[in-house]
Amino acid sequence: MMVYNSAAELCKGFGYPPVHVKLTIEIVDKRLGPVRAEAEIAIKPVESKGFLEVLVEDLESEHIFADENGSIYGSFGIDQSIQIYDEVLTTIPFEELIGKENWKEAVDSFIMEEKLKGQLEKVLNNYQFSDMSGKYKFRKICTITELQFLK
């Protein structure tokens, strides 16, 4: 287990493998069933700011399709998947890690299931869906009903 004694050392040698998660997203809309997605979460040092970024490198969902029958979006429906890239979920200051033997536990505590669920929901609820023509944009409230770490 490596101990980082300075910011320069941390930025040069930091190694924490990306975390892969599988999500079930419930979109608050009667015509849409649950959507499955997978995300890769990376943890990278940002030297200039003195913290680690916990970020979604890539989140992609299955295709979402809204039934047009009786839909308030009647003419357009939703026909797309959720795609999120490079969205920062949280930051961890270098002070939490420098000179500590258990820095890995400090990082782990930032990416626990409940925390990740909450952070990802914030990102998803900021996500704009668009209609098939791309002309209309709208948000949907999403909740993550299941989050599983993939080894």
Side-chain angles (χ1 to χ4, degrees):
M1 167 70 84
M2 184 169 175
V3 174
Y4 300 111
N5 294 307
S6 69
E9 203 176 90
L10 180 99
C11 289
K12 215 169 49 211
F14 185 77
Y16 193 101
V19 179
H20 297 270
V21 291
K22 203 159 140 182
L23 321 170
T24 304
I25 302 162
E26 201 64 66
I27 298 173
V28 183
D29 185 315
K30 287 180 188 64
R31 290 150 306 123
L32 302 174
V35 180
R36 310 223 182 290
E38 281 192 22
E40 179 164 293
I41 289 150
I43 295 148
K44 297 177 172 169
V46 182
E47 201 165 353
S48 59
K49 297 192 178 139
F51 57 62
L52 296 184
E53 265 180 354
V54 178
L55 76 151
V56 179
E57 285 238 293
D58 169 17
L59 179 148
E60 190 151 357
S61 83
E62 287 177 347
H63 211 60
I64 300 164
F65 185 72
D67 183 0
E68 290 183 20
N69 301 337
S71 153
I72 48 169
Y73 314 114
S75 58
F76 50 86
I78 303 171
D79 186 10
Q80 66 176 58
S81 58
I82 299 171
Q83 294 175 315
I84 293 171
Y85 302 99
D86 296 338
E87 198 60 63
V88 178
L89 297 175
T90 188
T91 58
I92 307 168
F94 285 172
E95 295 86 80
E96 304 252 344
L97 315 174
I98 290 173
K100 296 186 180 152
E101 274 183 37
N102 60 349
W103 64 266
K104 222 169 177 149
E105 286 161 35
V107 176
D108 286 344
S109 74
F110 275 84
I111 52 167
M112 287 178 339
E113 196 174 311
E114 280 313 303
K115 268 192 185 173
L116 265 191
K117 245 187 199 173
Q119 291 159 344
L120 283 166
E121 267 175 20
K122 269 191 202 134
V123 168
L124 288 168
N125 286 325
N126 222 359
Y127 186 79
Q128 287 196 329
F129 292 91
S130 56
D131 69 314
M132 290 185 242
S133 72
K135 207 164 78 177
Y136 299 96
K137 292 205 176 302
F138 43 90
R139 287 192 168 84
K140 295 248 153 244
I141 300 296
C142 301
T143 54
I144 295 170
T145 52
E146 199 188 341
L147 184 147
Q148 209 178 341
F149 290 93
L150 301 174
K151 286 289 168 253

